[in-house]
């Protein structure tokens, strides 16, 4: 019986040993396959990006968008990021001339004459066939119309960019286009007034600074600097017009004070600096800004615009590619 038991143990041991060897070989083979696939994808990505740069040189946003749609699933996240960022820059570059055209009486009237009583556009009803075709191509390229003060104006369609390309982008870049979409659908400012709550302002500031920190190529862009400046200005808009100060008592809202404390403890250099400076000033007034205290509001507004104007240099100092 002992010999039989010993034999069984040897058989079990040898079996386990053989299984282990097979598993190790399988792992090695899987690793080789993955490495080959990654190598292939990198090679494909290089070829795709070379072709992409040629398409980009045409400055045709519609062709550029269609090329990305045809190829983005075959490239690495790094190349996907680069293509979408370049496409966005092209939309922005072309927008300057398009804005002049669509703000001219001919195009402005052609678009806005299709608006119904509920302020919905029916662009298929544009009377001039040539203008209608041009408008449809413009929308297909990556633009849309947004309402401002009762009329529609051309703008970049950030909701489309996010919804179309986000799933292919890196985790570092995805939040940028999510934020762009959010700001497009629910603007931080309406005219000169903050239109979102303070918690949302903080969330957008934090998201944006992290995106700039984690994507150095963004830090050199003028539009990103303006975008960050705009949000820092909202973060520092401490007054009763924006409901961040109690209208009756003049007391600064608790959400403002707690948010500044949170940002002061963060590692986000620009948001931290802005919160520290404004909190220091507010503490001098014991966090009370009464309506008739013109001197206090003058100092608060002066500091707000000073810090906002420093944002561009701060981004260059902390995050730009040297």
């Amino acid at each position: 019986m002992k010999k039989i038991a010993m034999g069984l143990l040897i058989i079990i041991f040898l079996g386990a040993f053989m299984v282990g060897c097979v598993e190790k070989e399988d792992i090695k083979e899987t690793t080789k396959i993955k490495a080959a696939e990654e190598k292939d994808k990198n090679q494909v990505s290089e070829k795709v990006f070379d072709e992409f740069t040629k398409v980009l040189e045409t400055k045709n946003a519609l062709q550029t968008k269609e090329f990305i749609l045809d190829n983005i699933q075959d490239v690495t996240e790094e190349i996907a990021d680069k293509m979408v960022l370049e496409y966005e820059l092209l939309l922005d570059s072309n927008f300057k001339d398009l804005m002049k055209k669509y703000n001219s009486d001919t195009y402005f009237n052609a678009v806005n004459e299709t608006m119904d009583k509920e302020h919905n556009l029916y662009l298929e009803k544009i009377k001039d066939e040539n203008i209608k075709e041009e408008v449809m191509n413009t929308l297909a390229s990556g633009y849309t119309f947004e309402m401002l003060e009762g009329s529609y104006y051309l703008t970049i369609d950030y909701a489309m960019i996010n919804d179309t390309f986000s799933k292919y982008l890196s985790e570092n870049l995805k939040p940028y286009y999510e934020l762009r979409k959010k700001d497009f659908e629910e603007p931080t400012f309406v005219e000169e007034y903050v239109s979102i709550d303070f918690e949302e302002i903080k969330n957008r500031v934090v998201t944006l600074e992290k995106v700039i920190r984690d994507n150095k190529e963004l830090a050199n862009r003028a539009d990103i600097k303006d975008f960050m400046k705009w949000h820092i200005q909202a973060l520092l808009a401490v007054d009763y017009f924006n409901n961040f100060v109690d209208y009756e008592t003049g007391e600064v809202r608790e959400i403002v004070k707690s948010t500044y404390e949170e940002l002061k403890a963060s590692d986000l250099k620009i948001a931290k600096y802005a919160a520290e400076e404004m909190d220091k000033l507010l503490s001098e007034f014991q966090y009370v800004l009464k309506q008739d205290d013109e001197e206090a509001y003058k100092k608060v507004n002066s500091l707000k615009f000073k810090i906002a104007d420093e944002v561009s240099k701060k981004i260059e100092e902390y995050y730009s590619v040297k």
Side-chain angles (χ1 to χ4, degrees):
M1 288 296 293
K2 287 183 180 180
K3 289 182 179 179
I4 294 172
M6 183 62 70
L8 285 172
L9 284 173
I10 292 171
I11 291 170
I12 292 169
F13 173 77
L14 289 173
F17 177 77
M18 293 300 294
V19 169
C21 290
V22 171
E23 286 179 349
K24 285 180 181 178
E25 289 301 317
D26 287 345
I27 291 170
K28 286 182 181 178
E29 193 61 34
T30 302
T31 303
K32 287 180 182 178
I33 292 170
K34 285 183 178 179
E37 288 175 349
E38 287 176 5
K39 184 178 179 181
D40 289 344
K41 192 159 191 175
N42 286 331
Q43 290 176 341
V44 169
S45 296
E46 289 178 12
K47 292 178 181 178
V48 168
F49 193 71
D50 286 343
E51 290 300 314
F52 172 75
T53 55
K54 295 174 185 176
V55 175
L56 194 65
E57 287 171 0
T58 68
K59 299 187 184 302
N60 186 310
L62 181 55
Q63 287 182 16
T64 302
K65 176 186 172 185
E66 289 176 343
F67 180 89
I68 297 174
L69 285 171
D70 288 341
N71 294 280
I72 197 168
Q73 68 276 4
D74 299 322
V75 301
T76 62
E77 288 182 351
E78 179 185 2
I79 296 301
D81 286 357
K82 287 183 178 180
M83 291 197 300
V84 174
L85 284 168
E86 289 292 345
Y87 166 61
E88 183 203 348
L89 281 175
L90 179 60
L91 289 174
D92 186 61
S93 176
N94 289 351
F95 180 68
K96 296 173 178 62
D97 289 332
L98 286 171
M99 184 172 61
K100 293 177 184 176
K101 176 185 287 187
Y102 280 92
N103 284 351
S104 68
D105 289 342
T106 301
Y107 284 82
F108 180 85
N109 292 334
V111 168
N112 281 278
E113 282 172 359
T114 70
M115 182 168 49
D116 66 12
K117 293 180 181 179
E118 283 73 41
H119 302 289
N120 299 309
L121 282 183
Y122 293 90
L123 298 173
E124 68 277 6
K125 294 183 179 180
I126 293 176
K127 297 173 184 176
D128 187 302
E129 290 298 322
N130 291 328
I131 292 178
K132 178 166 72 175
E133 182 179 0
E134 194 170 348
V135 168
M136 294 307 181
N137 284 335
T138 299
L139 295 185
S141 297
Y143 300 95
T144 188
F145 291 97
E146 66 175 340
M147 175 171 280
L148 296 171
E149 299 179 350
S151 297
Y152 279 94
Y153 296 87
L154 193 71
T155 189
I156 295 174
D157 192 349
Y158 279 104
M160 179 280 297
I161 295 175
N162 179 74
D163 295 346
T164 303
F165 300 116
S166 180
K167 65 182 178 180
Y168 301 107
L169 302 178
S170 69
E171 293 303 318
N172 283 344
L173 190 59
K174 279 180 184 178
Y176 168 64
Y177 286 109
E178 290 170 357
L179 179 57
R180 280 290 198 179
K181 175 184 177 180
K182 189 179 290 186
D183 194 70
F184 170 73
E185 295 179 340
E186 190 178 2
T188 303
F189 284 92
V190 173
E191 297 178 3
E192 71 270 30
Y193 299 108
V194 178
S195 61
I196 56 178
D197 63 40
F198 208 77
E199 179 73 14
E200 180 61 21
I201 293 171
K202 183 258 297 185
N203 290 340
R204 294 187 186 189
V205 166
V206 168
T207 297
L208 186 52
E209 184 163 354
K210 286 181 178 178
V211 164
I212 295 170
R213 180 193 66 192
D214 297 338
N215 299 273
K216 299 296 185 183
E217 65 275 19
L218 282 176
N220 293 325
R221 284 173 42 172
D223 64 321
I224 299 299
K225 293 174 182 176
D226 288 340
F227 201 40
M228 185 65 176
K229 174 181 177 179
W230 199 239
H231 284 82
I232 288 293
Q233 190 170 312
L235 183 71
L236 303 178
V238 187
D239 55 52
Y240 56 87
F241 293 110
N242 291 301
N243 199 33
F244 301 149
V245 172
D246 187 273
Y247 186 82
E248 297 294 334
T249 65
E251 293 182 4
V252 175
R253 303 283 186 193
E254 283 300 320
I255 184 64
V256 176
K257 292 190 280 186
S258 62
T259 295
Y260 286 171
E261 288 300 319
E262 180 182 342
L263 292 176
K264 283 161 59 178
S266 77
D267 61 352
L268 297 172
K269 297 178 180 180
I270 297 172
K272 180 177 181 177
Y273 166 71
E276 285 176 340
E277 293 299 301
M278 184 56 78
D279 189 62
K280 188 193 305 179
L281 179 60
L282 294 176
S283 68
E284 293 177 12
F285 303 117
Q286 285 77 50
Y287 298 96
V288 175
L289 300 170
K290 294 194 174 180
Q291 294 181 51
D292 58 355
D293 195 340
E294 294 181 7
E295 189 62 27
Y297 273 112
K298 184 178 179 180
K299 288 183 177 181
V300 167
N301 285 324
S302 177
L303 182 60
K304 173 180 69 177
F305 290 118
K306 173 184 175 293
I307 293 173
D309 288 341
E310 292 173 347
V311 166
S312 180
K313 287 185 178 180
K314 293 288 184 185
I315 290 175
E316 290 176 7
E317 178 183 352
Y318 297 130
Y319 303 123
S320 287
V321 178
K322 304 299 183 184

